[in-house]
Amino acid sequence: KQEVTQIPAALSVPEGENLVLNCSFTDSAIYNLQWFRQDPGKGLTSLLLIQSSQREQTSGRLNASLDKSSGRSTLYIAASQPGDSATYLCAAQTQGGSEKLVFGKGTKLTVNP
Amino acid sequence: KAGVTQTPRYLIKTRGQQVTLSCSPISGHRSVSWYQQTPGQGLQFLFEYFSETQRNKGNFPGRFSGRQFSNSRSEMNVSTLELGDSALYLCASRLTRNEQYFGPGTRLTVT
């Protein structure tokens, strides 16, 4: 059974800092791993999708990496801004017939001006 | 292209009642999944529909059911509501095994 863990649960940084959010998963047989952002009381916004054959994906100030062998993914945010404050969730889609996403509990990021 | 839409956005129901939530996927997306989000359990998979067929179901009691129509719109129903069913219900649509796109959610409060 796939389990996804995100550490830390909360993170507070000053504006302009570069930061890394961590995601680990127990079953390396994944189709892909997706990073989302969730603002309070809102739905999920997809940030990056990494296919199992890829090592990383980049979008603007965001870079996500995937290491299947170690069961880890990281989301790197460069030059953080107060508008980046949100909860960041990672989710793994596991092979084996089920199309469901298994989510971590998220990292709540606060970027202070 | 319009995103995933969910209606209603907010609902207040009483224990024992039933509720139906609706989700319209992105045009062309035939797969619709439902998730429940609570502070304690996080996001949990409810079920997935593809071409009007339920393909996967999460570990929820039979009070939770769903269906998908020929236009890919989906509904989920919860019968005999319990206080613990209070949650944000999120719907997602996708094209094949690619990126999943989520709607804004329906906030259900059971009193």
Side-chain angles (χ1 to χ4, degrees), chain A residues 31-32 34 36 38 41-44 46-49 51 89 93 97-105, chain B residues 9-10 35 37 40-43 45 48 55-56 88 90 94 97-105 107:
Chain A
Y31 277 127
N32 58 55
Q34 200 166 350
F36 296 90
Q38 185 174 33
K42 301 291 179 65
L44 307 183
S46 178
L47 297 173
L48 289 165
L49 171 75
Q51 303 286 1
L89 296 142
Q93 183 179 353
S98 173
E99 306 292 342
K100 72 178 184 181
L101 293 177
V102 178
F103 282 86
K105 292 287 182 69
Chain B
R9 294 293 312 280
Y10 303 92
Y35 292 81
Q37 186 177 31
Q41 298 298 317
L43 274 148
F45 172 77
E48 183 197 13
R55 292 209 296 194
N56 291 292
L88 180 66
L90 293 162
R94 62 181 176 82
R97 285 205 172 104
N98 291 334
E99 198 167 353
Q100 295 213 24
Y101 297 90
F102 282 77
R107 171 74 62 185

mmCIF file of all heavy atoms in Angstrom, chain A residues 31-32 34 36 38 41-44 46-49 51 89 93 97-105, chain B residues 9-10 35 37 40-43 45 48 55-56 88 90 94 97-105 107:
data_model
loop_
_atom_site.group_PDB
_atom_site.id
_atom_site.type_symbol
_atom_site.label_atom_id
_atom_site.label_comp_id
_atom_site.label_asym_id
_atom_site.label_seq_id
_atom_site.Cartn_x
_atom_site.Cartn_y
_atom_site.Cartn_z
ATOM 1 N N TYR A 31 3.482 5.719 -11.554
ATOM 2 C CA TYR A 31 3.362 6.248 -12.909
ATOM 3 C C TYR A 31 3.909 7.662 -12.976
ATOM 4 O O TYR A 31 4.599 8.048 -13.905
ATOM 5 C CB TYR A 31 1.891 6.287 -13.349
ATOM 6 C CG TYR A 31 1.362 4.995 -13.885
ATOM 7 C CD1 TYR A 31 0.207 4.431 -13.371
ATOM 8 C CD2 TYR A 31 2.019 4.342 -14.919
ATOM 9 C CE1 TYR A 31 -0.280 3.241 -13.872
ATOM 10 C CE2 TYR A 31 1.534 3.141 -15.425
ATOM 11 C CZ TYR A 31 0.378 2.595 -14.892
ATOM 12 O OH TYR A 31 -0.100 1.422 -15.382
ATOM 13 N N ASN A 32 3.531 8.435 -11.976
ATOM 14 C CA ASN A 32 3.981 9.820 -11.937
ATOM 15 C C ASN A 32 3.826 10.371 -10.532
ATOM 16 O O ASN A 32 3.224 9.737 -9.660
ATOM 17 C CB ASN A 32 3.207 10.680 -12.945
ATOM 18 C CG ASN A 32 1.711 10.657 -12.719
ATOM 19 O OD1 ASN A 32 1.234 10.960 -11.629
ATOM 20 N ND2 ASN A 32 0.953 10.334 -13.755
ATOM 21 N N GLN A 34 2.904 14.183 -8.691
ATOM 22 C CA GLN A 34 2.385 15.515 -9.000
ATOM 23 C C GLN A 34 2.465 16.391 -7.748
ATOM 24 O O GLN A 34 2.159 15.938 -6.648
ATOM 25 C CB GLN A 34 0.930 15.384 -9.483
ATOM 26 C CG GLN A 34 0.401 16.557 -10.266
ATOM 27 C CD GLN A 34 -0.904 16.236 -11.002
ATOM 28 O OE1 GLN A 34 -1.353 15.099 -11.095
ATOM 29 N NE2 GLN A 34 -1.540 17.277 -11.522
ATOM 30 N N PHE A 36 1.045 19.901 -5.987
ATOM 31 C CA PHE A 36 -0.086 20.818 -6.010
ATOM 32 C C PHE A 36 0.123 21.924 -4.987
ATOM 33 O O PHE A 36 0.844 21.753 -4.006
ATOM 34 C CB PHE A 36 -1.395 20.096 -5.646
ATOM 35 C CG PHE A 36 -1.813 19.028 -6.602
ATOM 36 C CD1 PHE A 36 -1.400 17.719 -6.435
ATOM 37 C CD2 PHE A 36 -2.660 19.330 -7.666
ATOM 38 C CE1 PHE A 36 -1.808 16.730 -7.307
ATOM 39 C CE2 PHE A 36 -3.077 18.343 -8.535
ATOM 40 C CZ PHE A 36 -2.644 17.042 -8.353
ATOM 41 N N GLN A 38 -2.373 24.476 -2.558
ATOM 42 C CA GLN A 38 -3.738 24.699 -2.100
ATOM 43 C C GLN A 38 -3.767 25.940 -1.213
ATOM 44 O O GLN A 38 -3.073 25.993 -0.190
ATOM 45 C CB GLN A 38 -4.282 23.488 -1.327
ATOM 46 C CG GLN A 38 -5.746 23.645 -0.942
ATOM 47 C CD GLN A 38 -6.331 22.403 -0.313
ATOM 48 O OE1 GLN A 38 -5.650 21.659 0.385
ATOM 49 N NE2 GLN A 38 -7.622 22.150 -0.570
ATOM 50 N N GLY A 41 -9.102 26.957 2.061
ATOM 51 C CA GLY A 41 -10.498 26.801 1.651
ATOM 52 C C GLY A 41 -10.717 26.628 0.166
ATOM 53 O O GLY A 41 -11.861 26.622 -0.288
ATOM 54 N N LYS A 42 -9.636 26.459 -0.579
ATOM 55 C CA LYS A 42 -9.775 26.369 -2.034
ATOM 56 C C LYS A 42 -9.414 24.969 -2.542
ATOM 57 O O LYS A 42 -8.978 24.099 -1.786
ATOM 58 C CB LYS A 42 -8.837 27.404 -2.696
ATOM 59 C CG LYS A 42 -9.110 28.837 -2.272
ATOM 60 C CD LYS A 42 -10.416 29.335 -2.806
ATOM 61 C CE LYS A 42 -10.727 30.760 -2.388
ATOM 62 N NZ LYS A 42 -9.788 31.736 -2.952
ATOM 63 N N GLY A 43 -9.590 24.790 -3.845
ATOM 64 C CA GLY A 43 -9.214 23.537 -4.462
ATOM 65 C C GLY A 43 -7.713 23.462 -4.686
ATOM 66 O O GLY A 43 -6.956 24.292 -4.186
ATOM 67 N N LEU A 44 -7.286 22.460 -5.431
ATOM 68 C CA LEU A 44 -5.864 22.236 -5.689
ATOM 69 C C LEU A 44 -5.481 22.800 -7.051
ATOM 70 O O LEU A 44 -6.193 22.608 -8.027
ATOM 71 C CB LEU A 44 -5.552 20.741 -5.661
ATOM 72 C CG LEU A 44 -5.976 19.950 -4.431
ATOM 73 C CD1 LEU A 44 -5.533 18.509 -4.552
ATOM 74 C CD2 LEU A 44 -5.403 20.578 -3.183
ATOM 75 N N SER A 46 -2.560 22.472 -9.837
ATOM 76 C CA SER A 46 -1.429 21.643 -10.234
ATOM 77 C C SER A 46 -0.230 22.527 -10.548
ATOM 78 O O SER A 46 -0.343 23.522 -11.271
ATOM 79 C CB SER A 46 -1.801 20.818 -11.469
ATOM 80 O OG SER A 46 -0.698 20.047 -11.886
ATOM 81 N N LEU A 47 0.919 22.156 -9.977
ATOM 82 C CA LEU A 47 2.140 22.911 -10.208
ATOM 83 C C LEU A 47 3.055 22.201 -11.202
ATOM 84 O O LEU A 47 3.484 22.788 -12.193
ATOM 85 C CB LEU A 47 2.893 23.110 -8.884
ATOM 86 C CG LEU A 47 2.176 23.922 -7.816
ATOM 87 C CD1 LEU A 47 2.977 23.887 -6.515
ATOM 88 C CD2 LEU A 47 1.950 25.350 -8.276
ATOM 89 N N LEU A 48 3.366 20.956 -10.911
ATOM 90 C CA LEU A 48 4.281 20.197 -11.754
ATOM 91 C C LEU A 48 3.907 18.730 -11.719
ATOM 92 O O LEU A 48 3.490 18.210 -10.679
ATOM 93 C CB LEU A 48 5.731 20.359 -11.269
ATOM 94 C CG LEU A 48 6.391 21.724 -11.498
ATOM 95 C CD1 LEU A 48 7.647 21.860 -10.656
ATOM 96 C CD2 LEU A 48 6.725 21.919 -12.976
ATOM 97 N N LEU A 49 4.078 18.067 -12.848
ATOM 98 C CA LEU A 49 3.870 16.623 -12.957
ATOM 99 C C LEU A 49 5.167 16.021 -13.457
ATOM 100 O O LEU A 49 5.711 16.459 -14.477
ATOM 101 C CB LEU A 49 2.744 16.319 -13.940
ATOM 102 C CG LEU A 49 2.553 14.853 -14.324
ATOM 103 C CD1 LEU A 49 1.899 14.095 -13.197
ATOM 104 C CD2 LEU A 49 1.726 14.727 -15.596
ATOM 105 N N GLN A 51 6.713 12.508 -14.757
ATOM 106 C CA GLN A 51 6.464 11.134 -15.144
ATOM 107 C C GLN A 51 7.540 10.235 -14.547
ATOM 108 O O GLN A 51 8.641 10.694 -14.232
ATOM 109 C CB GLN A 51 6.470 11.004 -16.676
ATOM 110 C CG GLN A 51 5.472 11.894 -17.388
ATOM 111 C CD GLN A 51 4.045 11.426 -17.247
ATOM 112 O OE1 GLN A 51 3.756 10.428 -16.598
ATOM 113 N NE2 GLN A 51 3.122 12.152 -17.860
ATOM 114 N N LEU A 89 1.163 20.186 -1.612
ATOM 115 C CA LEU A 89 0.875 18.757 -1.500
ATOM 116 C C LEU A 89 1.550 17.996 -2.634
ATOM 117 O O LEU A 89 1.565 18.466 -3.780
ATOM 118 C CB LEU A 89 -0.636 18.516 -1.589
ATOM 119 C CG LEU A 89 -1.469 19.122 -0.458
ATOM 120 C CD1 LEU A 89 -2.763 19.666 -0.981
ATOM 121 C CD2 LEU A 89 -1.740 18.076 0.598
ATOM 122 N N GLN A 93 0.851 8.654 -8.173
ATOM 123 C CA GLN A 93 -0.067 7.745 -8.862
ATOM 124 C C GLN A 93 0.666 6.436 -9.043
ATOM 125 O O GLN A 93 1.708 6.377 -9.707
ATOM 126 C CB GLN A 93 -0.496 8.300 -10.213
ATOM 127 C CG GLN A 93 -1.515 7.408 -10.904
ATOM 128 C CD GLN A 93 -1.972 7.965 -12.234
ATOM 129 O OE1 GLN A 93 -1.639 9.077 -12.616
ATOM 130 N NE2 GLN A 93 -2.749 7.180 -12.943
ATOM 131 N N GLY A 97 -2.941 -0.725 -11.910
ATOM 132 C CA GLY A 97 -4.356 -0.688 -12.262
ATOM 133 C C GLY A 97 -5.115 0.458 -11.650
ATOM 134 O O GLY A 97 -6.045 0.973 -12.244
ATOM 135 N N SER A 98 -4.781 0.863 -10.429
ATOM 136 C CA SER A 98 -5.518 1.951 -9.818
ATOM 137 C C SER A 98 -5.012 3.287 -10.325
ATOM 138 O O SER A 98 -3.812 3.517 -10.403
ATOM 139 C CB SER A 98 -5.370 1.905 -8.296
ATOM 140 O OG SER A 98 -5.959 3.043 -7.716
ATOM 141 N N GLU A 99 -5.940 4.163 -10.681
ATOM 142 C CA GLU A 99 -5.550 5.473 -11.190
ATOM 143 C C GLU A 99 -5.561 6.526 -10.097
ATOM 144 O O GLU A 99 -5.362 7.688 -10.359
ATOM 145 C CB GLU A 99 -6.526 5.901 -12.298
ATOM 146 C CG GLU A 99 -6.677 4.902 -13.414
ATOM 147 C CD GLU A 99 -5.417 4.760 -14.236
ATOM 148 O OE1 GLU A 99 -4.572 5.659 -14.165
ATOM 149 O OE2 GLU A 99 -5.268 3.755 -14.941
ATOM 150 N N LYS A 100 -5.797 6.119 -8.858
ATOM 151 C CA LYS A 100 -5.961 7.112 -7.816
ATOM 152 C C LYS A 100 -4.633 7.746 -7.453
ATOM 153 O O LYS A 100 -3.558 7.173 -7.644
ATOM 154 C CB LYS A 100 -6.562 6.473 -6.570
ATOM 155 C CG LYS A 100 -5.606 5.561 -5.815
ATOM 156 C CD LYS A 100 -6.248 5.008 -4.556
ATOM 157 C CE LYS A 100 -5.261 4.188 -3.753
ATOM 158 N NZ LYS A 100 -5.874 3.623 -2.525
ATOM 159 N N LEU A 101 -4.741 8.960 -6.918
ATOM 160 C CA LEU A 101 -3.589 9.653 -6.362
ATOM 161 C C LEU A 101 -3.564 9.408 -4.861
ATOM 162 O O LEU A 101 -4.597 9.465 -4.200
ATOM 163 C CB LEU A 101 -3.678 11.159 -6.624
ATOM 164 C CG LEU A 101 -3.561 11.624 -8.069
ATOM 165 C CD1 LEU A 101 -3.744 13.135 -8.150
ATOM 166 C CD2 LEU A 101 -2.217 11.229 -8.650
ATOM 167 N N VAL A 102 -2.366 9.130 -4.346
ATOM 168 C CA VAL A 102 -2.174 9.025 -2.904
ATOM 169 C C VAL A 102 -1.435 10.274 -2.467
ATOM 170 O O VAL A 102 -0.317 10.544 -2.944
ATOM 171 C CB VAL A 102 -1.387 7.761 -2.531
ATOM 172 C CG1 VAL A 102 -1.169 7.707 -1.026
ATOM 173 C CG2 VAL A 102 -2.129 6.513 -3.015
ATOM 174 N N PHE A 103 -2.042 11.022 -1.579
ATOM 175 C CA PHE A 103 -1.522 12.328 -1.178
ATOM 176 C C PHE A 103 -0.764 12.271 0.136
ATOM 177 O O PHE A 103 -1.088 11.475 1.038
ATOM 178 C CB PHE A 103 -2.673 13.318 -0.986
ATOM 179 C CG PHE A 103 -3.241 13.867 -2.255
ATOM 180 C CD1 PHE A 103 -4.231 13.181 -2.940
ATOM 181 C CD2 PHE A 103 -2.798 15.074 -2.759
ATOM 182 C CE1 PHE A 103 -4.771 13.685 -4.117
ATOM 183 C CE2 PHE A 103 -3.323 15.599 -3.928
ATOM 184 C CZ PHE A 103 -4.313 14.894 -4.607
ATOM 185 N N GLY A 104 0.234 13.163 0.257
ATOM 186 C CA GLY A 104 0.819 13.455 1.551
ATOM 187 C C GLY A 104 -0.080 14.436 2.277
ATOM 188 O O GLY A 104 -1.061 14.945 1.712
ATOM 189 N N LYS A 105 0.256 14.708 3.545
ATOM 190 C CA LYS A 105 -0.562 15.613 4.345
ATOM 191 C C LYS A 105 -0.257 17.087 4.040
ATOM 192 O O LYS A 105 -0.969 17.974 4.505
ATOM 193 C CB LYS A 105 -0.357 15.341 5.829
ATOM 194 C CG LYS A 105 -0.899 13.987 6.285
ATOM 195 C CD LYS A 105 -2.396 13.965 6.349
ATOM 196 C CE LYS A 105 -2.954 12.646 6.842
ATOM 197 N NZ LYS A 105 -2.671 12.394 8.259
ATOM 198 N N ARG B 9 -21.095 25.090 -4.122
ATOM 199 C CA ARG B 9 -19.803 25.343 -3.476
ATOM 200 C C ARG B 9 -19.886 25.116 -1.973
ATOM 201 O O ARG B 9 -18.918 24.710 -1.353
ATOM 202 C CB ARG B 9 -19.345 26.767 -3.754
ATOM 203 C CG ARG B 9 -19.025 27.057 -5.215
ATOM 204 C CD ARG B 9 -17.779 26.271 -5.671
ATOM 205 N NE ARG B 9 -16.678 26.396 -4.726
ATOM 206 C CZ ARG B 9 -15.875 27.433 -4.663
ATOM 207 N NH1 ARG B 9 -16.031 28.450 -5.488
ATOM 208 N NH2 ARG B 9 -14.894 27.463 -3.778
ATOM 209 N N TYR B 10 -21.034 25.375 -1.408
ATOM 210 C CA TYR B 10 -21.223 25.209 0.036
ATOM 211 C C TYR B 10 -22.573 24.552 0.299
ATOM 212 O O TYR B 10 -23.551 24.834 -0.397
ATOM 213 C CB TYR B 10 -21.161 26.559 0.762
ATOM 214 C CG TYR B 10 -19.879 27.311 0.527
ATOM 215 C CD1 TYR B 10 -19.771 28.231 -0.511
ATOM 216 C CD2 TYR B 10 -18.760 27.094 1.336
ATOM 217 C CE1 TYR B 10 -18.592 28.909 -0.740
ATOM 218 C CE2 TYR B 10 -17.572 27.769 1.103
ATOM 219 C CZ TYR B 10 -17.501 28.677 0.067
ATOM 220 O OH TYR B 10 -16.326 29.352 -0.151
ATOM 221 N N TYR B 35 -12.458 13.059 -4.291
ATOM 222 C CA TYR B 35 -11.640 12.967 -3.095
ATOM 223 C C TYR B 35 -12.337 13.700 -1.952
ATOM 224 O O TYR B 35 -13.026 14.695 -2.153
ATOM 225 C CB TYR B 35 -10.260 13.604 -3.319
ATOM 226 C CG TYR B 35 -9.379 12.854 -4.286
ATOM 227 C CD1 TYR B 35 -9.528 13.012 -5.662
ATOM 228 C CD2 TYR B 35 -8.401 11.976 -3.829
ATOM 229 C CE1 TYR B 35 -8.732 12.320 -6.551
ATOM 230 C CE2 TYR B 35 -7.590 11.284 -4.716
ATOM 231 C CZ TYR B 35 -7.771 11.461 -6.081
ATOM 232 O OH TYR B 35 -6.983 10.763 -6.952
ATOM 233 N N GLN B 37 -11.480 15.668 1.624
ATOM 234 C CA GLN B 37 -10.390 16.273 2.387
ATOM 235 C C GLN B 37 -10.889 16.718 3.747
ATOM 236 O O GLN B 37 -11.825 17.517 3.858
ATOM 237 C CB GLN B 37 -9.793 17.474 1.644
ATOM 238 C CG GLN B 37 -8.558 18.044 2.340
ATOM 239 C CD GLN B 37 -7.927 19.179 1.568
ATOM 240 O OE1 GLN B 37 -8.595 19.935 0.875
ATOM 241 N NE2 GLN B 37 -6.607 19.301 1.664
ATOM 242 N N GLY B 40 -8.061 15.968 9.644
ATOM 243 C CA GLY B 40 -7.412 14.838 10.280
ATOM 244 C C GLY B 40 -6.842 13.812 9.317
ATOM 245 O O GLY B 40 -5.732 13.312 9.510
ATOM 246 N N GLN B 41 -7.575 13.499 8.277
ATOM 247 C CA GLN B 41 -7.176 12.437 7.352
ATOM 248 C C GLN B 41 -6.533 12.946 6.076
ATOM 249 O O GLN B 41 -5.991 12.154 5.295
ATOM 250 C CB GLN B 41 -8.403 11.592 6.975
ATOM 251 C CG GLN B 41 -9.058 10.883 8.150
ATOM 252 C CD GLN B 41 -8.110 9.907 8.805
ATOM 253 O OE1 GLN B 41 -7.400 9.162 8.123
ATOM 254 N NE2 GLN B 41 -8.071 9.898 10.123
ATOM 255 N N GLY B 42 -6.596 14.241 5.838
ATOM 256 C CA GLY B 42 -6.039 14.757 4.597
ATOM 257 C C GLY B 42 -6.927 14.405 3.420
ATOM 258 O O GLY B 42 -8.140 14.262 3.556
ATOM 259 N N LEU B 43 -6.302 14.240 2.261
ATOM 260 C CA LEU B 43 -7.040 13.923 1.040
ATOM 261 C C LEU B 43 -7.114 12.420 0.866
ATOM 262 O O LEU B 43 -6.086 11.736 0.819
ATOM 263 C CB LEU B 43 -6.333 14.532 -0.173
ATOM 264 C CG LEU B 43 -6.695 15.974 -0.483
ATOM 265 C CD1 LEU B 43 -5.522 16.700 -1.085
ATOM 266 C CD2 LEU B 43 -7.881 16.002 -1.431
ATOM 267 N N PHE B 45 -8.998 9.238 -1.452
ATOM 268 C CA PHE B 45 -9.657 8.881 -2.695
ATOM 269 C C PHE B 45 -11.002 8.217 -2.419
ATOM 270 O O PHE B 45 -11.098 7.277 -1.609
ATOM 271 C CB PHE B 45 -8.747 7.939 -3.478
ATOM 272 C CG PHE B 45 -9.349 7.331 -4.700
ATOM 273 C CD1 PHE B 45 -9.483 8.074 -5.863
ATOM 274 C CD2 PHE B 45 -9.757 6.016 -4.702
ATOM 275 C CE1 PHE B 45 -10.019 7.499 -7.007
ATOM 276 C CE2 PHE B 45 -10.290 5.431 -5.829
ATOM 277 C CZ PHE B 45 -10.433 6.175 -6.985
ATOM 278 N N GLU B 48 -13.325 6.667 -8.845
ATOM 279 C CA GLU B 48 -13.026 7.210 -10.159
ATOM 280 C C GLU B 48 -13.983 6.620 -11.175
ATOM 281 O O GLU B 48 -14.289 5.422 -11.130
ATOM 282 C CB GLU B 48 -11.594 6.903 -10.594
ATOM 283 C CG GLU B 48 -11.272 7.536 -11.957
ATOM 284 C CD GLU B 48 -10.056 6.961 -12.647
ATOM 285 O OE1 GLU B 48 -9.561 5.894 -12.232
ATOM 286 O OE2 GLU B 48 -9.613 7.580 -13.632
ATOM 287 N N ARG B 55 -14.279 2.727 -12.076
ATOM 288 C CA ARG B 55 -13.071 1.894 -12.276
ATOM 289 C C ARG B 55 -12.369 1.586 -10.965
ATOM 290 O O ARG B 55 -11.721 0.553 -10.837
ATOM 291 C CB ARG B 55 -12.104 2.585 -13.217
ATOM 292 C CG ARG B 55 -12.595 2.682 -14.631
ATOM 293 C CD ARG B 55 -11.466 2.691 -15.628
ATOM 294 N NE ARG B 55 -10.610 3.868 -15.470
ATOM 295 C CZ ARG B 55 -9.730 4.238 -16.376
ATOM 296 N NH1 ARG B 55 -9.580 3.550 -17.489
ATOM 297 N NH2 ARG B 55 -8.976 5.299 -16.182
ATOM 298 N N ASN B 56 -12.447 2.500 -10.025
ATOM 299 C CA ASN B 56 -11.778 2.286 -8.747
ATOM 300 C C ASN B 56 -12.623 2.880 -7.636
ATOM 301 O O ASN B 56 -13.341 3.852 -7.833
ATOM 302 C CB ASN B 56 -10.404 2.967 -8.736
ATOM 303 C CG ASN B 56 -9.434 2.287 -9.661
ATOM 304 O OD1 ASN B 56 -9.021 1.169 -9.431
ATOM 305 N ND2 ASN B 56 -9.063 2.979 -10.733
ATOM 306 N N LEU B 88 -14.301 18.906 2.785
ATOM 307 C CA LEU B 88 -14.237 19.521 1.454
ATOM 308 C C LEU B 88 -14.181 18.368 0.449
ATOM 309 O O LEU B 88 -13.302 17.505 0.541
ATOM 310 C CB LEU B 88 -12.989 20.396 1.322
ATOM 311 C CG LEU B 88 -12.790 21.115 -0.016
ATOM 312 C CD1 LEU B 88 -13.888 22.159 -0.237
ATOM 313 C CD2 LEU B 88 -11.410 21.764 -0.071
ATOM 314 N N LEU B 90 -13.602 17.199 -3.261
ATOM 315 C CA LEU B 90 -12.933 17.683 -4.462
ATOM 316 C C LEU B 90 -13.114 16.703 -5.605
ATOM 317 O O LEU B 90 -13.041 15.486 -5.420
ATOM 318 C CB LEU B 90 -11.442 17.874 -4.188
ATOM 319 C CG LEU B 90 -11.094 18.986 -3.208
ATOM 320 C CD1 LEU B 90 -9.675 18.819 -2.680
ATOM 321 C CD2 LEU B 90 -11.239 20.348 -3.881
ATOM 322 N N ARG B 94 -9.113 14.277 -15.764
ATOM 323 C CA ARG B 94 -7.837 14.128 -16.459
ATOM 324 C C ARG B 94 -8.057 13.478 -17.814
ATOM 325 O O ARG B 94 -9.089 12.859 -18.082
ATOM 326 C CB ARG B 94 -6.866 13.296 -15.634
ATOM 327 C CG ARG B 94 -7.312 11.900 -15.378
ATOM 328 C CD ARG B 94 -6.297 11.152 -14.525
ATOM 329 N NE ARG B 94 -6.802 9.824 -14.213
ATOM 330 C CZ ARG B 94 -6.733 8.789 -15.023
ATOM 331 N NH1 ARG B 94 -6.158 8.918 -16.200
ATOM 332 N NH2 ARG B 94 -7.217 7.628 -14.666
ATOM 333 N N ARG B 97 -3.611 9.158 -18.561
ATOM 334 C CA ARG B 97 -2.907 9.069 -17.279
ATOM 335 C C ARG B 97 -2.099 10.325 -16.994
ATOM 336 O O ARG B 97 -1.160 10.299 -16.204
ATOM 337 C CB ARG B 97 -1.972 7.858 -17.299
ATOM 338 C CG ARG B 97 -2.700 6.555 -17.163
ATOM 339 C CD ARG B 97 -1.814 5.484 -16.592
ATOM 340 N NE ARG B 97 -2.582 4.294 -16.296
ATOM 341 C CZ ARG B 97 -2.568 3.205 -17.019
ATOM 342 N NH1 ARG B 97 -1.816 3.143 -18.101
ATOM 343 N NH2 ARG B 97 -3.289 2.160 -16.677
ATOM 344 N N ASN B 98 -2.480 11.399 -17.622
ATOM 345 C CA ASN B 98 -1.753 12.636 -17.423
ATOM 346 C C ASN B 98 -2.214 13.402 -16.196
ATOM 347 O O ASN B 98 -2.923 12.891 -15.350
ATOM 348 C CB ASN B 98 -1.878 13.502 -18.685
ATOM 349 C CG ASN B 98 -1.120 12.903 -19.842
ATOM 350 O OD1 ASN B 98 -0.154 12.176 -19.640
ATOM 351 N ND2 ASN B 98 -1.549 13.180 -21.047
ATOM 352 N N GLU B 99 -1.798 14.648 -16.164
ATOM 353 C CA GLU B 99 -2.046 15.542 -15.056
ATOM 354 C C GLU B 99 -3.525 15.601 -14.671
ATOM 355 O O GLU B 99 -4.402 15.636 -15.532
ATOM 356 C CB GLU B 99 -1.578 16.922 -15.497
ATOM 357 C CG GLU B 99 -1.337 17.931 -14.433
ATOM 358 C CD GLU B 99 -0.583 19.120 -14.999
ATOM 359 O OE1 GLU B 99 -0.165 19.050 -16.168
ATOM 360 O OE2 GLU B 99 -0.447 20.103 -14.272
ATOM 361 N N GLN B 100 -3.755 15.603 -13.359
ATOM 362 C CA GLN B 100 -5.117 15.735 -12.864
ATOM 363 C C GLN B 100 -5.391 17.199 -12.532
ATOM 364 O O GLN B 100 -4.559 17.888 -11.952
ATOM 365 C CB GLN B 100 -5.331 14.871 -11.621
ATOM 366 C CG GLN B 100 -5.220 13.391 -11.909
ATOM 367 C CD GLN B 100 -6.123 12.537 -11.045
ATOM 368 O OE1 GLN B 100 -7.125 13.001 -10.545
ATOM 369 N NE2 GLN B 100 -5.760 11.278 -10.885
ATOM 370 N N TYR B 101 -6.584 17.654 -12.895
ATOM 371 C CA TYR B 101 -7.006 19.032 -12.660
ATOM 372 C C TYR B 101 -8.184 19.023 -11.697
ATOM 373 O O TYR B 101 -9.178 18.340 -11.945
ATOM 374 C CB TYR B 101 -7.397 19.709 -13.977
ATOM 375 C CG TYR B 101 -6.256 19.812 -14.951
ATOM 376 C CD1 TYR B 101 -6.003 18.790 -15.870
ATOM 377 C CD2 TYR B 101 -5.408 20.911 -14.948
ATOM 378 C CE1 TYR B 101 -4.946 18.880 -16.759
ATOM 379 C CE2 TYR B 101 -4.345 21.005 -15.834
ATOM 380 C CZ TYR B 101 -4.119 19.984 -16.733
ATOM 381 O OH TYR B 101 -3.069 20.062 -17.609
ATOM 382 N N PHE B 102 -8.038 19.789 -10.634
ATOM 383 C CA PHE B 102 -9.046 19.783 -9.591
ATOM 384 C C PHE B 102 -9.985 20.976 -9.689
ATOM 385 O O PHE B 102 -9.580 22.066 -10.114
ATOM 386 C CB PHE B 102 -8.382 19.782 -8.211
ATOM 387 C CG PHE B 102 -7.869 18.437 -7.792
ATOM 388 C CD1 PHE B 102 -6.686 17.931 -8.309
ATOM 389 C CD2 PHE B 102 -8.581 17.664 -6.882
ATOM 390 C CE1 PHE B 102 -6.220 16.686 -7.933
ATOM 391 C CE2 PHE B 102 -8.120 16.417 -6.496
ATOM 392 C CZ PHE B 102 -6.948 15.920 -7.020
ATOM 393 N N GLY B 103 -11.211 20.758 -9.247
ATOM 394 C CA GLY B 103 -12.175 21.835 -9.128
ATOM 395 C C GLY B 103 -12.012 22.552 -7.808
ATOM 396 O O GLY B 103 -11.154 22.195 -6.995
ATOM 397 N N PRO B 104 -12.845 23.569 -7.561
ATOM 398 C CA PRO B 104 -12.733 24.365 -6.338
ATOM 399 C C PRO B 104 -13.268 23.655 -5.102
ATOM 400 O O PRO B 104 -13.007 24.093 -3.981
ATOM 401 C CB PRO B 104 -13.563 25.602 -6.648
ATOM 402 C CG PRO B 104 -14.576 25.118 -7.632
ATOM 403 C CD PRO B 104 -13.868 24.090 -8.464
ATOM 404 N N GLY B 105 -14.011 22.569 -5.300
ATOM 405 C CA GLY B 105 -14.518 21.810 -4.168
ATOM 406 C C GLY B 105 -15.901 22.239 -3.710
ATOM 407 O O GLY B 105 -16.373 23.334 -4.010
ATOM 408 N N ARG B 107 -17.813 22.496 -0.067
ATOM 409 C CA ARG B 107 -17.647 22.420 1.387
ATOM 410 C C ARG B 107 -18.956 21.951 1.986
ATOM 411 O O ARG B 107 -19.956 22.656 1.942
ATOM 412 C CB ARG B 107 -17.273 23.801 1.937
ATOM 413 C CG ARG B 107 -17.286 23.887 3.453
ATOM 414 C CD ARG B 107 -16.111 23.192 4.072
ATOM 415 N NE ARG B 107 -14.840 23.778 3.694
ATOM 416 C CZ ARG B 107 -13.663 23.273 4.040
ATOM 417 N NH1 ARG B 107 -13.606 22.178 4.763
ATOM 418 N NH2 ARG B 107 -12.550 23.857 3.663
#
